[in-house]
Amino acid sequence: MVNKYLKLIRIQHWVKNTFIFLPLFFSGELFNYQNFLNTVFIAIGFSMVCSSIYVINDLFDIEFDKIHPTKKHRPIASGEISKRQAYITCLVFFLNGIFILYLTNLLCLLLALLYFSIMILYSAYLKKLPIIDLFIISIGFIIRILIGGNASNVYVSDWTIIMVFLLSLFIAASKRRDDVIQYEEESRLNREVVIHYNLDFINSIISIISSVLIVSYLIFITQDQIILKYNSKNLFFTFIFVIIGILRFNQITLVDKQSESPIKILFNDRFMQINLSLWLILFLLMIYL
């Protein structure tokens, strides 16, 4: 019984909210007990708000999910959880998440409410608009970063926002490609917006964003103020892992055609896990040692 509710709230998707910890990590304050504790509570509260959105999104998408090869197993689409139970679960998680944020940080609460409002509009209408649907997902990750900055009292630079925006846009386009393939090759329409894309267009988006992301990261790590901030001239070594990560994700997307779930890739692809871990360890050594 518990398992079906964990599936409903997509507990595994809470990993997306580790973005909230990035400002704390890169500021060198990760081991500041008070800031870390505040960030943990805010991440939990925001994750609960996100779970309420996932439930609402499943309620909006129930007819599409029923014909999807994997989403048809979701609790609402499969009939494992009734609509009434889903609404109650949504309300419980939303109210508890808002309450935690209210007790911890009011500005983070306002950002979470902004995120909630945008995602409700996305579920109801904006996800039907081509290109806009991808940008809305990216905006959601920018809000996560801003919440993390406010949670830990860390300034979030313009470059951080740019890098997170590009990365999330790249992943969103790769994920949408899977829907396009199913529509063109299997005549399966998983979401309305897919009819406004084709494989050539989505491939060009992925190629453009990949290129811009790589160049932007290279510019970022070679700036004098960034080198001075981390007191290291070895930042260019991190570029190796960024290139490898982007190429690997492109391989999974374009060759293996397995980009439907970035979360599954993160949890299951050992290559990506090792590469991401090495990138983080390198920054950990430069920032904290």
Side-chain angles (χ1 to χ4, degrees):
M1 180 177 178
V2 174
N3 187 52
K4 67 180 182 181
Y5 281 100
L6 291 178
K7 287 169 62 179
L8 177 66
I9 64 170
R10 301 190 207 174
I11 192 76
Q12 74 275 18
H13 284 247
W14 284 22
V15 71
K16 295 176 183 177
N17 300 324
T18 54
F19 273 76
I20 291 173
F21 289 89
L22 292 184
L24 184 64
F25 175 81
F26 287 106
S27 69
E29 295 291 321
L30 184 63
F31 301 110
N32 181 311
Y33 175 77
Q34 190 58 54
N35 283 347
F36 181 78
L37 194 61
N38 285 341
T39 305
V40 168
F41 278 117
I42 287 169
I44 292 172
F46 182 73
S47 295
M48 296 182 80
V49 172
C50 289
S51 284
S52 70
I53 297 169
Y54 295 143
V55 177
I56 293 172
N57 188 63
D58 283 357
L59 287 165
F60 273 111
D61 285 351
I62 187 169
E63 297 304 322
F64 281 109
D65 287 351
K66 284 180 179 179
I67 61 173
H68 192 276
T70 56
K71 294 179 181 179
K72 66 182 180 182
H73 300 298
R74 287 179 175 176
I76 301 176
S78 65
E80 195 175 5
I81 288 179
S82 67
K83 289 184 179 181
R84 180 176 178 275
Q85 291 172 319
Y87 280 119
I88 293 172
T89 304
C90 172
L91 185 61
V92 168
F93 272 82
F94 176 76
L95 292 178
N96 278 282
I98 291 300
F99 182 66
I100 292 172
L101 292 169
Y102 172 76
L103 293 178
T104 313
N105 188 301
L106 288 179
L107 188 52
C108 289
L109 169 61
L110 293 175
L111 286 168
L113 290 173
L114 174 63
Y115 178 85
F116 181 83
S117 301
I118 291 173
M119 289 302 140
I120 293 300
L121 287 173
Y122 173 80
S123 294
Y125 178 67
L126 294 178
K127 66 181 178 184
K128 301 175 184 178
L129 304 179
I131 300 176
I132 298 299
D133 65 320
L134 303 179
F135 272 70
I136 294 297
I137 294 172
S138 299
I139 289 170
F141 280 91
I142 291 175
I143 292 176
R144 285 176 171 88
I145 290 291
L146 295 176
I147 287 175
N150 282 287
S152 53
N153 296 310
V154 172
Y155 171 72
V156 179
S157 70
D158 294 341
W159 271 106
T160 301
I161 292 173
I162 290 170
M163 295 306 301
V164 169
F165 179 79
L166 289 171
L167 176 62
S168 54
L169 189 61
F170 166 63
I171 294 174
S174 300
K175 187 174 185 294
R176 185 67 71 246
R177 185 180 187 274
D178 187 78
D179 293 321
V180 173
I181 288 176
Q182 291 188 30
Y183 176 62
E184 291 192 351
E185 297 183 0
E186 303 174 23
S187 300
R188 185 187 296 119
L189 184 63
N190 296 327
R191 55 182 72 236
E192 293 180 46
V193 73
V194 172
I195 63 175
H196 300 291
Y197 292 105
N198 62 34
L199 209 51
D200 289 337
F201 179 46
I202 206 76
N203 284 345
S204 68
I205 292 176
I206 292 171
S207 177
I208 291 168
I209 299 302
S210 295
S211 302
V212 175
L213 179 58
I214 290 169
V215 172
S216 297
Y217 187 83
L218 187 58
I219 294 173
F220 170 66
I221 60 173
T222 53
Q223 291 184 93
D224 290 337
Q225 61 266 40
I226 298 300
I227 294 173
L228 288 172
K229 178 181 178 180
Y230 295 114
N231 193 29
S232 174
K233 295 182 179 180
N234 297 320
L235 284 169
F236 66 90
F237 284 117
T238 67
F239 184 64
I240 297 170
F241 300 107
V242 170
I243 287 285
I244 291 173
I246 291 173
L247 292 179
R248 174 57 179 163
F249 203 89
N250 273 327
Q251 181 185 34
I252 293 170
T253 301
L254 303 175
V255 180
D256 301 334
K257 299 180 181 180
Q258 296 293 326
S259 59
E260 175 191 352
S261 176
I263 298 300
K264 286 183 179 179
I265 294 172
L266 180 62
F267 282 125
N268 298 328
D269 190 85
R270 191 58 55 85
F271 188 104
M272 289 291 286
Q273 291 171 352
I274 293 172
N275 187 66
L276 179 60
S277 297
L278 290 173
W279 181 77
L280 288 171
I281 289 169
L282 195 54
F283 265 109
L284 183 71
L285 293 173
M286 287 189 291
I287 297 172
Y288 294 93
L289 297 179

